[in-house]
Amino acid sequence: MEDFGCDVIRNFSIIAHIDHGKSTLADRLLELTGTIEKKAKGVNKQVLDKLKVERERGITVKAQTASMFHSFGDKKYLLNLIDTPGHVDFAWEVSRSLAACQGALLLVDASQGVQAQSLSVFHAAQERGLTIIPVLNKIDLPAAQPDVVAAQMQSTFGIDPKDVIKISAKSGKGVEEVLRAIVERIPPPSGDVEAPLKAFLFDSSYDRYRGVISLSLTEKAGDKIASCFTGKKYDITDLGIMYPEEVSTSSLRPGQVGFIACNMKESSEAHIGDTLHRVGAPVESMPGFKPAKAMVYAGIFPLDSKDFPKLEESIKRLTLTDRSVEISRESSTALGQGCRLGFLGTLHMDVFRQRLEDEYDANVIITAPTVPYKVVYRDRTVMVSNPTDFPDTTNTGAKFKEVLEPVVKASIIVPQEYFGDMMDLCFSHRGEELEHRYLDTSGPSSRMILTCVLPLSEIVTDFFDKLKGRSSGFASFDYEDAGYRPSNLAKMLFLLNGKPIDALALIVHRSNEQEVGRAWVQKLHKVIPRQLFEVPIQATIGKKVIARETLSAMRADVTAGLYGGHYERKLKHLNNQKEGKRQMKRVGVVDLPQEAFFDILRNKS
């Protein structure tokens, strides 16, 4: 590693909208540089997508690092690649990756064109001052329109079409030109071999035998290091590069990206954005990351309440590789002890649940997702993410002034023929401040970009599915935080036999309380097993019942043994049965089984 000074190092990332071919391009780069062997039959697929959930879903959810050695001219270069996710829910992973780079490959699909996430990642790279190399992928597809999409990139990003590299990552066509551009266009990192050790921590993971493994943009390697954030000291037991798996080296030099294992036992000690330095030689810490802001909250509970300690430890270890998740403890009368977790979006939440099940064999129930609200009282403002903590807004004697809900600025890129459907969709989800403009007017099907302000609570359920359904899959969607706005909200409780189920509480807008109440009551009516007594299922807001279904009682045929005689004999038996049912209803308890929770929460709309 001593042979690779800053002048022959290139740190770069691949950024793009989801499914534009980032991982496929990474595979070809690894093959061309000899980092991985080219298969005799077939091709390497998603080498850097190491998680089971990534391979099953075909998406990248975790940024992965790989070092490559490439000979160009008369020099040998060290190329450090970071493959990033493309979905908006994992934007924090992208921002961390960009902090460790000097350049980025902006990948655009030649058949789909510029899409919503392409815009946001381009602006993020621009803000960090990175050198951007535009790459047009999938030019070998029958539906590809390279010249049209290159014109789109010019009108959207201000990129000269002559600078766009046209490739097919699947076949490898044009990828050599990408390697040439990485070496020629991306500037090397700055660093001084004589300066004090300074390492920037941008990722971490947990190893059962070695504890916490840190990924760092390292300036110089030492034997004993300390953290600027915690002040704790550690002995480096191993260090090296990702090639693409861990390969130990004797040292890491200025500008190089690698890993260190340093007997860090507690996962809480590895702070993303921390600066590590040599013991006895303190340095000024480097600028860290803007903390991830949770957009969606959900309660997570074990199927068996005895498994809670194991579940809590599993969550802590999993969050070591995903620091954007917020954790706090929570208890529910229906589900027992659990955790309240904050996520960046609903896909992020679903991927986290699947990783818990795949990597830690956890069997969990996740409650319906909610968003963080601000309740403004006369003397303070309180953040509420759990519906059970939400105040009764129908009580006129309450001390709060107003409720604020989070809103987002949404961007939808869609062909012109689906524009009317997108307008209807946004208005039906309480969209405001709708604006639109043409993204390009070339070709028979021009595309438009629609921007509007939407409540976050409206897009965490089935908004994305409706978007894809109404646009026949052509629309792309991206959003960013737009603060808080006052809203007319209320807490909806569900009662079984007059007793509330706290785990199913919802916060709803008053404009669609009837629709939501009826839908959930009908859902409960289908999954709750019948009892020996009649069970009323009610959706209430304050003291007002919004919707009701009655679960009829199971009853024996008490007149089966009566043959003939006066009808009053039968009536006497029926009245006795009715009185018994009335007494059971007064003292009976209805337990909602775990299977019913699974059925209800599977569809969270």
Side-chain angles (χ1 to χ4, degrees):
M1 300 304 292
E2 290 84 352
D3 298 335
F4 296 94
C6 287
D7 60 319
V8 293
I9 295 176
R10 301 291 185 269
N11 299 323
F12 69 98
S13 180
I14 305 177
I15 54 175
H17 189 83
I18 191 169
D19 201 30
H20 277 209
K22 293 182 297 300
S23 297
T24 309
L25 176 57
D27 292 342
R28 297 296 84 75
L29 291 173
L30 291 170
E31 284 180 357
L32 281 172
T33 55
T35 309
I36 58 174
E37 290 184 8
K38 195 169 183 178
K39 289 186 176 179
K41 288 186 178 180
V43 292
N44 289 294
K45 290 185 178 180
Q46 298 175 314
V47 173
L48 294 182
D49 289 348
K50 300 173 184 177
L51 302 176
K52 183 181 175 185
V53 64
E54 292 178 318
R55 293 189 169 276
E56 286 180 355
R57 296 180 181 233
I59 59 172
T60 303
V61 302
K62 183 84 179 72
Q64 298 288 355
T65 307
S67 296
M68 303 174 288
F69 298 100
H70 177 58
S71 296
F72 181 76
D74 57 349
K75 290 184 180 179
K76 194 172 185 180
Y77 289 85
L78 172 60
L79 310 180
N80 293 311
L81 155 71
I82 303 178
D83 183 25
T84 62
H87 196 277
V88 61
D89 283 9
F90 305 101
W92 197 66
E93 286 280 329
V94 179
S95 70
R96 289 195 295 110
S97 304
L98 296 179
C101 298
Q102 285 76 45
L105 303 180
L106 176 64
L107 203 61
V108 176
D109 190 327
S111 62
Q112 298 183 47
V114 175
Q115 299 204 305
Q117 187 69 2
S118 308
L119 286 168
S120 60
V121 293
F122 174 78
H123 293 314
Q126 262 195 333
E127 285 174 9
R128 290 197 172 267
L130 302 189
T131 300
I132 296 172
I133 300 174
V135 180
L136 202 55
N137 191 22
K138 304 186 184 180
I139 59 169
D140 55 341
L141 289 181
Q145 297 176 303
D147 296 332
V148 173
V149 177
Q152 283 179 13
M153 294 173 76
Q154 184 179 22
S155 62
T156 309
F157 305 128
I159 292 171
D160 190 339
K162 294 177 183 175
D163 295 333
V164 177
I165 303 170
K166 298 175 182 178
I167 68 163
S168 169
K170 190 173 184 179
S171 66
K173 180 182 178 182
V175 180
E176 283 277 8
E177 186 62 32
V178 175
L179 280 171
R180 176 193 291 270
I182 290 167
V183 172
E184 292 180 344
R185 299 192 204 175
I186 295 177
S190 58
D192 183 3
V193 181
E194 303 302 323
L197 166 69
K198 187 189 278 190
F200 184 61
L201 178 65
F202 69 92
D203 202 357
S204 60
S205 61
Y206 187 83
D207 186 284
R208 186 176 297 177
Y209 303 103
R210 295 188 292 171
V212 179
I213 310 297
S214 302
L215 278 171
S216 59
L217 182 68
T218 311
E219 306 285 45
K220 195 175 177 184
D223 296 326
K224 288 182 180 287
I225 57 170
S227 161
C228 280
F229 188 86
T230 64
K232 292 190 176 181
K233 301 172 184 177
Y234 307 98
D235 291 326
I236 294 181
T237 56
D238 191 16
L239 80 168
I241 59 172
M242 306 298 291
Y243 188 68
E245 302 300 328
E246 292 179 9
V247 175
S248 297
T249 62
S250 58
S251 65
L252 288 172
R253 310 293 286 176
Q256 295 173 359
V257 178
F259 72 89
I260 55 172
C262 55
N263 287 333
M264 194 180 284
K265 300 300 182 187
E266 290 294 326
S267 58
S268 58
E269 294 175 24
H271 289 268
I272 302 302
D274 191 6
T275 302
L276 306 175
H277 62 88
R278 194 187 300 277
V279 172
V283 295
E284 186 179 341
S285 60
M286 289 183 271
F289 299 110
K290 184 180 177 182
K293 183 180 178 183
M295 307 285 270
V296 176
Y297 287 84
I300 186 164
F301 298 87
L303 273 178
D304 188 345
S305 56
K306 295 176 184 176
D307 294 335
F308 173 70
K310 180 187 172 186
L311 174 65
E312 188 176 37
E313 183 59 29
S314 300
I315 290 172
K316 284 181 180 178
R317 290 187 177 178
L318 188 51
T319 52
L320 191 63
T321 61
D322 189 353
R323 290 307 180 85
S324 56
V325 178
E326 293 181 12
I327 311 173
S328 60
R329 279 196 175 188
E330 181 182 48
S331 62
S332 163
T333 53
L335 297 173
Q337 215 172 8
C339 292
R340 190 88 185 160
L341 303 183
F343 302 97
L344 301 180
T346 47
L347 177 64
H348 185 205
M349 179 181 79
D350 199 36
V351 165
F352 191 89
R353 173 200 58 77
Q354 189 172 340
R355 287 187 67 188
L356 268 179
E357 293 175 353
D358 291 345
E359 298 172 32
Y360 296 95
D361 295 324
N363 293 313
V364 297
I365 293 175
I366 292 189
T367 61
T370 60
V371 299
Y373 299 94
K374 283 184 181 177
V375 181
V376 181
Y377 292 91
R378 291 168 190 168
D379 56 344
R380 68 191 191 282
T381 300
V382 178
M383 294 289 291
V384 176
S385 62
N386 192 336
T388 56
D389 300 329
F390 198 79
D392 182 4
T393 54
T394 60
N395 183 4
T396 54
K399 295 180 180 179
F400 72 91
K401 292 168 63 179
E402 62 179 352
V403 177
L404 306 176
E405 71 172 334
V407 293
V408 295
K409 185 177 181 182
S411 302
I412 301 171
I413 296 179
V414 65
Q416 185 180 358
E417 57 264 35
Y418 299 106
F419 180 68
D421 291 320
M422 293 300 101
M423 293 272 284
D424 290 341
L425 180 66
C426 291
F427 280 127
S428 66
H429 284 77
R430 299 192 282 133
E432 298 176 350
E433 301 176 18
L434 267 73
E435 296 178 0
H436 66 275
R437 62 180 174 86
Y438 282 93
L439 195 62
D440 62 82
T441 53
S442 56
S445 179
S446 57
R447 301 195 309 159
M448 305 180 74
I449 180 167
L450 170 69
T451 59
C452 65
V453 175
L454 285 168
L456 182 59
S457 58
E458 293 288 333
I459 63 172
V460 299
T461 50
D462 58 350
F463 181 82
F464 190 73
D465 293 337
K466 289 180 180 177
L467 179 97
K468 288 295 184 183
R470 292 201 188 186
S471 66
S472 302
F474 286 108
S476 62
F477 176 67
D478 187 29
Y479 62 86
E480 59 185 30
D481 183 27
Y484 282 79
R485 292 191 179 181
S487 188
N488 186 15
L489 301 165
K491 176 167 71 173
M492 181 176 288
L493 288 174
F494 296 95
L495 310 182
L496 284 186
N497 201 24
K499 295 176 182 176
I501 314 168
D502 60 343
L504 294 181
L506 298 174
I507 299 172
V508 297
H509 194 265
R510 298 302 296 266
S511 62
N512 62 345
E513 61 184 27
Q514 297 278 348
E515 181 185 343
V516 173
R518 287 197 190 102
W520 277 76
V521 162
Q522 288 169 4
K523 201 187 297 184
L524 281 165
H525 185 264
K526 290 178 183 175
V527 300
I528 294 173
R530 289 175 67 188
Q531 310 290 317
L532 291 171
F533 51 91
E534 187 181 81
V535 178
I537 305 167
Q538 298 167 306
T540 64
I541 290 180
K543 295 179 181 178
K544 181 182 177 184
V545 176
I546 301 298
R548 171 180 171 136
E549 290 278 345
T550 302
L551 194 65
S552 58
M554 292 190 292
R555 54 187 290 270
D557 188 359
V558 292
T559 61
L562 301 178
Y563 299 98
H566 199 269
Y567 79 95
E568 288 185 354
R569 288 182 64 205
K570 291 185 178 182
L571 197 62
K572 180 181 176 183
H573 283 268
L574 291 170
N575 286 335
N576 286 341
Q577 185 189 44
K578 192 184 294 182
E579 181 60 31
K581 300 284 186 191
R582 191 178 293 116
Q583 289 179 7
M584 273 194 282
K585 183 177 179 180
R586 191 165 58 247
V587 299
V589 176
V590 182
D591 283 328
L592 194 61
Q594 303 284 20
E595 294 79 13
F597 269 107
F598 265 129
D599 291 338
I600 293 165
L601 298 174
R602 188 178 297 137
N603 180 11
K604 302 177 179 70
S605 59

